[in-house]
Amino acid sequence: MAIQIGYFSLVLGLGLSFLLILFSVKDLGKNKVIDPKILSFSFLQTFFVGVSFFSLIYSFIISDFSNVTVFNNSHTTKPLFYKISGTWGNHEGSMLLWISILSIYGFFFSFTKKIDIELKKLTLLIQSFLHLLFSLFIILTSNPFLINSVAVTEGLGLNPILQDPGLAIHPPVLYAGYVGYSIIFSLAIASLLNKNNNEEWLYIAKKWSLVSWTCLTGGIALGSYWAYYELGWGGWWFWDPVENASFMPWLLGTALLHSLITVEKKQSLKTWVLLLALLTFILSTTGTFL
């Protein structure tokens, strides 16, 4: 039952992305406030994606091996903590976590005050478009709710070296950093599209940049510590492509944060901030897939 609920909730979230884009486009340039339907759809989208994600968690908790994702990444004797963390210990589950965080961030951004209303509408529109793309990707290529073709009573289990508290917390924290840069990306694109553009978005971007950078730093630190004591690699595992995939957006995110502080104090580097905002999210997305 959880499989069906999770899948249809995910599809409903996709449908709400279409509605959000449609109503957002129609609302551009018309009102001095956001159409209440847009805020309602944003809440419903966050709700249904959340239901989908927690349905997958529930499937792991009860060891529902009729779910292919659970079968491939869990077993009945695994501790509850690692059953739950097994939800995002695979590609399909981690991508569902990604769009869950994306939905939450977009919903929270919809309550942002002291921002030009057209800029806010455009930002939410771009966020909805990102949600649509990632939802389509998950449903078409990385569905976490596939059903096993045969009845099984035991799963294959999770790689033992992944059953570690640091690594269990590492992906959600890392993704919180990755996805946070989507808001800054959307703000940057919206500022380019907005004819009445001002500098408001830079001050809002600084707050989101600080949150994203902090989460990304924490995620990298947890992953590095895990590799140090679990794998015995020692030092900084600079040669590993996964580590570099998160380190590259961190470097650009650090430059972005410093540039935003410089803009606030000296009113310079505005074009540089735009470029960094775009590149940081692009590298964050690359890191997600790697």
Side-chain angles (χ1 to χ4, degrees):
M1 188 65 179
I3 298 177
Q4 289 79 8
I5 292 174
Y7 179 73
F8 285 115
S9 295
L10 183 60
V11 172
L12 283 171
L14 172 64
L16 286 163
S17 296
F18 278 110
L19 290 176
L20 276 167
I21 292 172
L22 177 63
F23 278 89
S24 295
V25 171
K26 289 175 65 177
D27 196 44
L28 288 175
K30 288 186 177 181
N31 305 304
K32 294 183 179 180
V33 295
I34 294 179
D35 187 340
K37 293 188 183 70
I38 294 175
L39 298 178
S40 299
F41 289 149
S42 179
F43 169 76
L44 287 172
Q45 181 190 68
T46 304
F47 173 77
F48 282 119
V49 173
V51 168
S52 181
F53 182 64
F54 282 106
S55 294
L56 186 60
I57 291 178
Y58 180 71
S59 295
F60 270 87
I61 291 174
I62 65 172
S63 297
D64 181 7
F65 298 124
S66 63
N67 184 321
V68 174
T69 305
V70 179
F71 170 71
N72 286 327
N73 298 280
S74 186
H75 57 75
T76 53
T77 60
K78 193 165 67 168
L80 177 62
F81 180 71
Y82 295 121
K83 283 185 178 180
I84 294 173
S85 65
T87 306
W88 51 79
N90 56 87
H91 170 68
E92 293 80 7
S94 67
M95 293 307 300
L96 186 57
L97 172 64
W98 207 96
I99 66 164
S100 298
I101 299 173
L102 184 70
S103 298
I104 292 170
Y105 279 176
F107 180 65
F108 280 133
F109 179 81
S110 67
F111 294 100
T112 302
K113 298 179 180 179
K114 297 180 180 179
I115 182 175
D116 178 76
I117 193 64
E118 289 301 308
L119 181 65
K120 185 175 180 179
K121 290 177 182 179
L122 282 168
T123 303
L124 290 172
L125 172 60
I126 296 164
Q127 282 293 114
S128 298
F129 187 70
L130 290 174
H131 190 282
L132 174 67
L133 290 178
F134 277 91
S135 295
L136 282 171
F137 172 79
I138 291 175
I139 291 172
L140 296 177
T141 70
S142 307
N143 186 358
F145 299 105
L146 293 177
I147 299 176
N148 246 326
S149 58
V150 294
V152 291
T153 58
E154 190 56 274
L156 300 178
L158 185 66
N159 189 329
I161 65 173
L162 299 182
Q163 297 182 43
D164 177 88
L167 203 70
I169 304 169
H170 158 72
V173 177
L174 191 72
Y175 275 23
Y178 278 160
V179 182
Y181 286 110
S182 71
I183 295 289
I184 304 170
F185 171 84
S186 298
L187 275 167
I189 298 295
S191 71
L192 292 172
L193 297 175
N194 188 18
K195 295 180 181 179
N196 300 318
N197 181 38
N198 52 45
E199 297 174 4
E200 287 177 337
W201 80 274
L202 294 168
Y203 305 111
I204 297 168
K206 190 183 81 169
K207 296 177 182 178
W208 281 96
S209 180
L210 184 59
V211 171
S212 302
W213 183 87
T214 302
C215 291
L216 190 56
T217 301
I220 292 173
L222 285 168
S224 298
Y225 182 63
W226 165 78
Y228 182 80
Y229 76 82
E230 181 73 27
L231 301 180
W233 287 350
W236 177 256
W237 32 314
F238 63 90
W239 51 267
D240 184 71
V242 175
E243 181 65 15
N244 282 294
S246 60
F247 187 55
M248 293 303 290
W250 183 88
L251 287 174
L252 288 183
T254 303
L256 174 61
L257 182 58
H258 280 81
S259 298
L260 285 165
I261 294 172
T262 302
V263 166
E264 187 176 22
K265 292 182 177 180
K266 299 183 179 180
Q267 299 298 307
S268 60
L269 300 178
K270 294 176 186 176
T271 304
W272 183 237
V273 165
L274 273 171
L275 180 62
L276 285 173
L278 302 179
L279 290 178
T280 303
F281 179 64
I282 290 170
L283 284 181
S284 294
T285 305
T286 304
T288 298
F289 284 98
L290 283 178

